[in-house]
Amino acid sequence: MTNNATSTPTDTPTTAPTTVTTGTPTTATAHPAPNAVLRVPPESPAAAAAYFGASLAFHADVSDVAAALAAARETGGDPGFVVIDSRNTASWDQGHVPGAVHLPTALVPEQAERLLAKDVPVVTYCWGPGCNGATRAALALAQLGYQVKEMLGGMEYWIREGFAYETWEGPVTPTADPLTAPVDSDDCGC
């Protein structure tokens, strides 16, 4: 099948055919992608496992961070990592994760070694998915020799999932957004 811009409906993608292997590994048939999801076919299972495994080495989920911090508080133990809020002072005062260390990204090079031990992993966060401040802070810390992960969702998802936070006025416990957190359980099972 040939894609022709003059005869293709506007809602049909005009992309090059995708090669799909059928039968034995030596038989290949060209088919147009059935939809935008498969326009670029999925990677091999081995490549996907490597990618997703690496992603988990670089990222932490808000719920997992909250659960680890809560468990450490309950037992009087140590979660095994330090949480870093990489935002400015006004943002920190507006609300931050309880127990987090305030270390704005711009100050990482001059203050990290004074505030953090290099043998303790660090989890960075900023405002939310639309902000890459935590990524920049994680990069700066990694360049200084720290083991670091970024907390996906940042402060936005911490609050949306209903986890308590601290402001300059004191603690706040928000109501969980049912689109981001289970309503009747502490664990989404994922």
Side-chain angles (χ1 to χ4, degrees):
M1 175 179 185
T2 325
N3 287 327
N4 183 331
T6 58
S7 64
T8 304
T10 56
D11 63 343
T12 303
T14 56
T15 59
T18 303
T19 301
V20 178
T21 304
T22 58
T24 62
T26 57
T27 306
T29 308
H31 296 285
N35 55 51
V37 172
L38 298 174
R39 189 173 300 144
V40 175
E43 267 291 351
S44 70
Y51 171 82
F52 292 117
S55 179
L56 292 172
F58 295 112
H59 300 110
D61 178 87
V62 166
S63 296
D64 292 341
V65 171
L69 293 175
R73 274 192 308 275
E74 287 174 15
T75 63
D78 181 347
F81 59 88
V82 174
V83 178
I84 297 295
D85 185 314
S86 65
R87 301 169 305 148
N88 65 21
T89 300
S91 299
W92 167 267
D93 289 345
Q94 189 173 327
H96 57 271
V97 172
V101 173
H102 186 218
L103 180 57
T105 302
L107 300 177
V108 167
E110 65 187 66
Q111 293 186 5
E113 291 187 9
R114 183 173 54 82
L115 297 173
L116 306 168
K118 285 205 174 169
D119 61 343
V120 178
V122 177
V123 176
T124 63
Y125 75 88
C126 59
W127 274 112
C131 176
N132 67 2
T135 306
R136 287 193 311 270
L139 173 61
L141 287 161
Q143 289 172 331
L144 292 173
Y146 291 90
Q147 293 178 351
V148 63
K149 289 187 173 201
E150 178 182 1
M151 185 174 77
L152 295 177
M155 195 64 195
E156 176 186 349
Y157 276 75
W158 185 273
I159 293 169
R160 288 184 72 187
E161 291 190 26
F163 298 119
Y165 63 96
E166 296 174 347
T167 72
W168 67 274
E169 296 176 305
V172 176
T173 303
T175 302
D177 178 342
L179 297 177
T180 64
V183 176
D184 297 327
S185 173
D186 290 337
D187 182 6
C188 68
C190 51

